[in-house]
PDB file of all heavy atoms in Angstrom:
ATOM      1  N   ILE A   1       7.135 -41.489 -14.678  1.00 78.00           N
ATOM      2  CA  ILE A   1       6.031 -40.574 -15.191  1.00 78.00           C
ATOM      3  C   ILE A   1       6.683 -39.303 -15.683  1.00 78.00           C
ATOM      4  O   ILE A   1       6.418 -38.764 -16.794  1.00 78.00           O
ATOM      5  CB  ILE A   1       4.925 -40.350 -14.096  1.00 78.00           C
ATOM      6  CG1 ILE A   1       4.257 -41.566 -13.701  1.00 78.00           C
ATOM      7  CG2 ILE A   1       3.977 -39.226 -14.676  1.00 78.00           C
ATOM      8  CD1 ILE A   1       3.378 -41.480 -12.525  1.00 78.00           C
ATOM      9  N   MET A   2       7.499 -38.595 -14.762  1.00 84.00           N
ATOM     10  CA  MET A   2       8.037 -37.348 -15.058  1.00 84.00           C
ATOM     11  C   MET A   2       9.094 -37.398 -16.110  1.00 84.00           C
ATOM     12  O   MET A   2       9.296 -36.423 -16.889  1.00 84.00           O
ATOM     13  CB  MET A   2       8.497 -36.694 -13.757  1.00 84.00           C
ATOM     14  CG  MET A   2       7.378 -36.510 -12.783  1.00 84.00           C
ATOM     15  SD  MET A   2       6.118 -35.298 -13.216  1.00 84.00           S
ATOM     16  CE  MET A   2       6.935 -33.701 -13.130  1.00 84.00           C
ATOM     17  N   GLY A   3       9.956 -38.435 -16.076  1.00 84.00           N
ATOM     18  CA  GLY A   3      11.066 -38.415 -16.966  1.00 84.00           C
ATOM     19  C   GLY A   3      10.602 -38.603 -18.406  1.00 84.00           C
ATOM     20  O   GLY A   3      11.119 -37.675 -19.270  1.00 84.00           O
ATOM     21  N   PRO A   4       9.780 -39.502 -18.786  1.00 84.00           N
ATOM     22  CA  PRO A   4       9.254 -39.522 -20.164  1.00 84.00           C
ATOM     23  C   PRO A   4       8.514 -38.264 -20.510  1.00 84.00           C
ATOM     24  O   PRO A   4       8.603 -37.796 -21.725  1.00 84.00           O
ATOM     25  CB  PRO A   4       8.290 -40.705 -20.089  1.00 84.00           C
ATOM     26  CG  PRO A   4       8.788 -41.635 -19.019  1.00 84.00           C
ATOM     27  CD  PRO A   4       9.310 -40.690 -18.016  1.00 84.00           C
ATOM     28  N   LEU A   5       7.883 -37.605 -19.586  1.00 82.00           N
ATOM     29  CA  LEU A   5       7.079 -36.364 -19.889  1.00 82.00           C
ATOM     30  C   LEU A   5       8.150 -35.276 -20.344  1.00 82.00           C
ATOM     31  O   LEU A   5       7.964 -34.573 -21.256  1.00 82.00           O
ATOM     32  CB  LEU A   5       6.431 -35.937 -18.682  1.00 82.00           C
ATOM     33  CG  LEU A   5       5.654 -34.487 -18.788  1.00 82.00           C
ATOM     34  CD1 LEU A   5       4.687 -34.515 -19.962  1.00 82.00           C
ATOM     35  CD2 LEU A   5       5.024 -34.194 -17.465  1.00 82.00           C
ATOM     36  N   ALA A   6       9.298 -35.114 -19.525  1.00 85.00           N
ATOM     37  CA  ALA A   6      10.418 -34.193 -19.897  1.00 85.00           C
ATOM     38  C   ALA A   6      10.931 -34.512 -21.273  1.00 85.00           C
ATOM     39  O   ALA A   6      11.117 -33.560 -22.122  1.00 85.00           O
ATOM     40  CB  ALA A   6      11.454 -34.177 -18.904  1.00 85.00           C
ATOM     41  N   THR A   7      11.207 -35.765 -21.542  1.00 84.00           N
ATOM     42  CA  THR A   7      11.859 -36.153 -22.912  1.00 84.00           C
ATOM     43  C   THR A   7      10.814 -35.817 -24.015  1.00 84.00           C
ATOM     44  O   THR A   7      11.218 -35.382 -25.064  1.00 84.00           O
ATOM     45  CB  THR A   7      12.147 -37.663 -22.760  1.00 84.00           C
ATOM     46  OG1 THR A   7      13.047 -37.824 -21.695  1.00 84.00           O
ATOM     47  CG2 THR A   7      12.751 -38.083 -24.119  1.00 84.00           C
ATOM     48  N   LYS A   8       9.482 -36.008 -23.844  1.00 79.00           N
ATOM     49  CA  LYS A   8       8.538 -35.822 -24.771  1.00 79.00           C
ATOM     50  C   LYS A   8       8.435 -34.374 -25.170  1.00 79.00           C
ATOM     51  O   LYS A   8       8.284 -34.095 -26.287  1.00 79.00           O
ATOM     52  CB  LYS A   8       7.138 -36.371 -24.317  1.00 79.00           C
ATOM     53  CG  LYS A   8       6.059 -36.194 -25.286  1.00 79.00           C
ATOM     54  CD  LYS A   8       4.721 -36.709 -24.699  1.00 79.00           C
ATOM     55  CE  LYS A   8       3.585 -36.412 -25.676  1.00 79.00           C
ATOM     56  NZ  LYS A   8       2.240 -36.931 -25.180  1.00 79.00           N
ATOM     57  N   LEU A   9       8.640 -33.581 -24.151  1.00 80.00           N
ATOM     58  CA  LEU A   9       8.559 -32.131 -24.455  1.00 80.00           C
ATOM     59  C   LEU A   9       9.921 -31.598 -24.896  1.00 80.00           C
ATOM     60  O   LEU A   9       9.962 -30.293 -25.148  1.00 80.00           O
ATOM     61  CB  LEU A   9       8.098 -31.313 -23.104  1.00 80.00           C
ATOM     62  CG  LEU A   9       6.754 -31.714 -22.504  1.00 80.00           C
ATOM     63  CD1 LEU A   9       6.480 -31.078 -21.211  1.00 80.00           C
ATOM     64  CD2 LEU A   9       5.605 -31.248 -23.575  1.00 80.00           C
ATOM     65  N   GLY A  10      10.903 -32.323 -25.023  1.00 83.00           N
ATOM     66  CA  GLY A  10      12.248 -31.885 -25.540  1.00 83.00           C
ATOM     67  C   GLY A  10      13.152 -31.480 -24.496  1.00 83.00           C
ATOM     68  O   GLY A  10      14.110 -30.632 -24.773  1.00 83.00           O
ATOM     69  N   PHE A  11      12.981 -31.740 -23.179  1.00 87.00           N
ATOM     70  CA  PHE A  11      13.755 -31.240 -22.091  1.00 87.00           C
ATOM     71  C   PHE A  11      14.593 -32.379 -21.513  1.00 87.00           C
ATOM     72  O   PHE A  11      14.452 -33.567 -21.809  1.00 87.00           O
ATOM     73  CB  PHE A  11      12.902 -30.672 -20.940  1.00 87.00           C
ATOM     74  CG  PHE A  11      12.016 -29.572 -21.417  1.00 87.00           C
ATOM     75  CD1 PHE A  11      10.569 -29.576 -21.140  1.00 87.00           C
ATOM     76  CD2 PHE A  11      12.361 -28.441 -22.090  1.00 87.00           C
ATOM     77  CE1 PHE A  11       9.796 -28.605 -21.552  1.00 87.00           C
ATOM     78  CE2 PHE A  11      11.701 -27.471 -22.517  1.00 87.00           C
ATOM     79  CZ  PHE A  11      10.294 -27.533 -22.199  1.00 87.00           C
ATOM     80  N   SER A  12      15.630 -31.940 -20.888  1.00 90.00           N
ATOM     81  CA  SER A  12      16.687 -32.870 -20.321  1.00 90.00           C
ATOM     82  C   SER A  12      16.205 -33.723 -19.220  1.00 90.00           C
ATOM     83  O   SER A  12      15.765 -33.226 -18.153  1.00 90.00           O
ATOM     84  CB  SER A  12      17.921 -32.056 -19.941  1.00 90.00           C
ATOM     85  OG  SER A  12      18.739 -32.810 -19.117  1.00 90.00           O
ATOM     86  N   PRO A  13      16.315 -34.993 -19.309  1.00 91.00           N
ATOM     87  CA  PRO A  13      15.905 -35.919 -18.156  1.00 91.00           C
ATOM     88  C   PRO A  13      16.890 -35.770 -17.068  1.00 91.00           C
ATOM     89  O   PRO A  13      16.414 -35.976 -15.892  1.00 91.00           O
ATOM     90  CB  PRO A  13      16.009 -37.318 -18.845  1.00 91.00           C
ATOM     91  CG  PRO A  13      16.833 -37.207 -20.071  1.00 91.00           C
ATOM     92  CD  PRO A  13      16.704 -35.779 -20.521  1.00 91.00           C
ATOM     93  N   GLU A  14      18.077 -35.360 -17.326  1.00 92.00           N
ATOM     94  CA  GLU A  14      19.093 -35.239 -16.262  1.00 92.00           C
ATOM     95  C   GLU A  14      18.720 -33.987 -15.401  1.00 92.00           C
ATOM     96  O   GLU A  14      18.811 -34.087 -14.178  1.00 92.00           O
ATOM     97  CB  GLU A  14      20.433 -34.935 -16.866  1.00 92.00           C
ATOM     98  CG  GLU A  14      21.104 -36.069 -17.608  1.00 92.00           C
ATOM     99  CD  GLU A  14      20.744 -36.133 -19.111  1.00 92.00           C
ATOM    100  OE1 GLU A  14      19.902 -35.231 -19.592  1.00 92.00           O
ATOM    101  OE2 GLU A  14      21.120 -37.103 -19.732  1.00 92.00           O
ATOM    102  N   VAL A  15      18.248 -32.892 -16.002  1.00 93.00           N
ATOM    103  CA  VAL A  15      17.755 -31.711 -15.194  1.00 93.00           C
ATOM    104  C   VAL A  15      16.499 -32.197 -14.389  1.00 93.00           C
ATOM    105  O   VAL A  15      16.418 -31.799 -13.329  1.00 93.00           O
ATOM    106  CB  VAL A  15      17.470 -30.565 -16.022  1.00 93.00           C
ATOM    107  CG1 VAL A  15      16.927 -29.449 -15.273  1.00 93.00           C
ATOM    108  CG2 VAL A  15      18.755 -30.155 -16.803  1.00 93.00           C
ATOM    109  N   MET A  16      15.637 -33.061 -14.938  1.00 93.00           N
ATOM    110  CA  MET A  16      14.452 -33.458 -14.297  1.00 93.00           C
ATOM    111  C   MET A  16      14.901 -34.314 -12.987  1.00 93.00           C
ATOM    112  O   MET A  16      14.233 -34.134 -12.034  1.00 93.00           O
ATOM    113  CB  MET A  16      13.567 -34.378 -15.212  1.00 93.00           C
ATOM    114  CG  MET A  16      12.358 -34.830 -14.513  1.00 93.00           C
ATOM    115  SD  MET A  16      11.285 -33.501 -13.751  1.00 93.00           S
ATOM    116  CE  MET A  16      10.575 -32.824 -15.228  1.00 93.00           C
ATOM    117  N   VAL A  17      15.943 -35.070 -13.147  1.00 93.00           N
ATOM    118  CA  VAL A  17      16.446 -35.842 -12.017  1.00 93.00           C
ATOM    119  C   VAL A  17      16.910 -34.932 -10.891  1.00 93.00           C
ATOM    120  O   VAL A  17      16.571 -35.055  -9.709  1.00 93.00           O
ATOM    121  CB  VAL A  17      17.596 -36.720 -12.448  1.00 93.00           C
ATOM    122  CG1 VAL A  17      18.272 -37.336 -11.081  1.00 93.00           C
ATOM    123  CG2 VAL A  17      17.153 -37.804 -13.322  1.00 93.00           C
ATOM    124  N   MET A  18      17.579 -33.879 -11.256  1.00 95.00           N
ATOM    125  CA  MET A  18      18.047 -32.948 -10.276  1.00 95.00           C
ATOM    126  C   MET A  18      17.000 -31.978  -9.685  1.00 95.00           C
ATOM    127  O   MET A  18      17.005 -31.569  -8.555  1.00 95.00           O
ATOM    128  CB  MET A  18      19.171 -32.020 -10.885  1.00 95.00           C
ATOM    129  CG  MET A  18      20.492 -32.763 -11.171  1.00 95.00           C
ATOM    130  SD  MET A  18      20.958 -34.020  -9.959  1.00 95.00           S
ATOM    131  CE  MET A  18      21.192 -32.852  -8.464  1.00 95.00           C
ATOM    132  N   ILE A  19      15.917 -31.734 -10.555  1.00 95.00           N
ATOM    133  CA  ILE A  19      14.734 -31.039  -9.993  1.00 95.00           C
ATOM    134  C   ILE A  19      14.026 -31.794  -8.950  1.00 95.00           C
ATOM    135  O   ILE A  19      13.666 -31.292  -7.841  1.00 95.00           O
ATOM    136  CB  ILE A  19      13.677 -30.747 -11.180  1.00 95.00           C
ATOM    137  CG1 ILE A  19      14.298 -29.604 -12.082  1.00 95.00           C
ATOM    138  CG2 ILE A  19      12.383 -30.350 -10.568  1.00 95.00           C
ATOM    139  CD1 ILE A  19      13.346 -29.350 -13.250  1.00 95.00           C
ATOM    140  N   PHE A  20      13.933 -33.120  -9.109  1.00 94.00           N
ATOM    141  CA  PHE A  20      13.426 -34.008  -8.141  1.00 94.00           C
ATOM    142  C   PHE A  20      14.290 -34.017  -6.878  1.00 94.00           C
ATOM    143  O   PHE A  20      13.791 -33.809  -5.785  1.00 94.00           O
ATOM    144  CB  PHE A  20      13.306 -35.414  -8.765  1.00 94.00           C
ATOM    145  CG  PHE A  20      13.680 -36.375  -7.698  1.00 94.00           C
ATOM    146  CD1 PHE A  20      12.940 -36.898  -6.679  1.00 94.00           C
ATOM    147  CD2 PHE A  20      14.926 -37.265  -7.885  1.00 94.00           C
ATOM    148  CE1 PHE A  20      13.295 -37.886  -5.720  1.00 94.00           C
ATOM    149  CE2 PHE A  20      15.297 -38.233  -6.980  1.00 94.00           C
ATOM    150  CZ  PHE A  20      14.486 -38.498  -5.963  1.00 94.00           C
ATOM    151  N   SER A  21      15.609 -34.085  -6.987  1.00 94.00           N
ATOM    152  CA  SER A  21      16.555 -34.199  -5.853  1.00 94.00           C
ATOM    153  C   SER A  21      16.509 -32.911  -5.140  1.00 94.00           C
ATOM    154  O   SER A  21      16.430 -32.941  -3.826  1.00 94.00           O
ATOM    155  CB  SER A  21      18.058 -34.454  -6.455  1.00 94.00           C
ATOM    156  OG  SER A  21      18.869 -34.518  -5.364  1.00 94.00           O
ATOM    157  N   ALA A  22      16.524 -31.817  -5.808  1.00 96.00           N
ATOM    158  CA  ALA A  22      16.549 -30.384  -5.109  1.00 96.00           C
ATOM    159  C   ALA A  22      15.246 -30.210  -4.378  1.00 96.00           C
ATOM    160  O   ALA A  22      15.302 -29.665  -3.260  1.00 96.00           O
ATOM    161  CB  ALA A  22      16.825 -29.346  -6.186  1.00 96.00           C
ATOM    162  N   ALA A  23      14.079 -30.508  -5.064  1.00 95.00           N
ATOM    163  CA  ALA A  23      12.892 -30.159  -4.457  1.00 95.00           C
ATOM    164  C   ALA A  23      12.557 -31.081  -3.211  1.00 95.00           C
ATOM    165  O   ALA A  23      12.187 -30.634  -2.111  1.00 95.00           O
ATOM    166  CB  ALA A  23      11.720 -30.243  -5.361  1.00 95.00           C
ATOM    167  N   SER A  24      12.764 -32.403  -3.398  1.00 92.00           N
ATOM    168  CA  SER A  24      12.585 -33.245  -2.242  1.00 92.00           C
ATOM    169  C   SER A  24      13.533 -33.055  -1.169  1.00 92.00           C
ATOM    170  O   SER A  24      13.323 -33.150  -0.013  1.00 92.00           O
ATOM    171  CB  SER A  24      12.659 -34.685  -2.806  1.00 92.00           C
ATOM    172  OG  SER A  24      13.999 -35.022  -3.365  1.00 92.00           O
ATOM    173  N   GLY A  25      14.788 -32.598  -1.555  1.00 93.00           N
ATOM    174  CA  GLY A  25      15.748 -32.248  -0.579  1.00 93.00           C
ATOM    175  C   GLY A  25      15.427 -31.155   0.251  1.00 93.00           C
ATOM    176  O   GLY A  25      15.646 -31.051   1.528  1.00 93.00           O
ATOM    177  N   ALA A  26      14.789 -30.052  -0.373  1.00 95.00           N
ATOM    178  CA  ALA A  26      14.332 -28.930   0.374  1.00 95.00           C
ATOM    179  C   ALA A  26      13.324 -29.140   1.281  1.00 95.00           C
ATOM    180  O   ALA A  26      13.331 -28.724   2.457  1.00 95.00           O
ATOM    181  CB  ALA A  26      13.917 -27.843  -0.618  1.00 95.00           C
ATOM    182  N   VAL A  27      12.323 -30.147   0.870  1.00 93.00           N
ATOM    183  CA  VAL A  27      11.306 -30.417   1.789  1.00 93.00           C
ATOM    184  C   VAL A  27      11.818 -31.214   2.967  1.00 93.00           C
ATOM    185  O   VAL A  27      11.297 -31.112   4.043  1.00 93.00           O
ATOM    186  CB  VAL A  27      10.149 -31.228   1.016  1.00 93.00           C
ATOM    187  CG1 VAL A  27       9.208 -31.912   2.032  1.00 93.00           C
ATOM    188  CG2 VAL A  27       9.512 -30.365  -0.051  1.00 93.00           C
TER     189      VAL A  27
END
């Protein structure tokens, strides 16, 4: 869901992966 959303808006899917990793890791 989030990956295609980032790509559609012209943003990096790699950064989205790390946003997921960093946020879930913090929790």
Side-chain angles (χ1 to χ4, degrees):
I1 298 172
M2 300 296 286
L5 176 61
T7 304
K8 181 181 177 182
L9 297 174
F11 300 128
S12 165
E14 293 86 1
V15 178
M16 179 56 73
V17 169
M18 293 315 302
I19 288 174
F20 140 72
S21 178
S24 62
V27 170

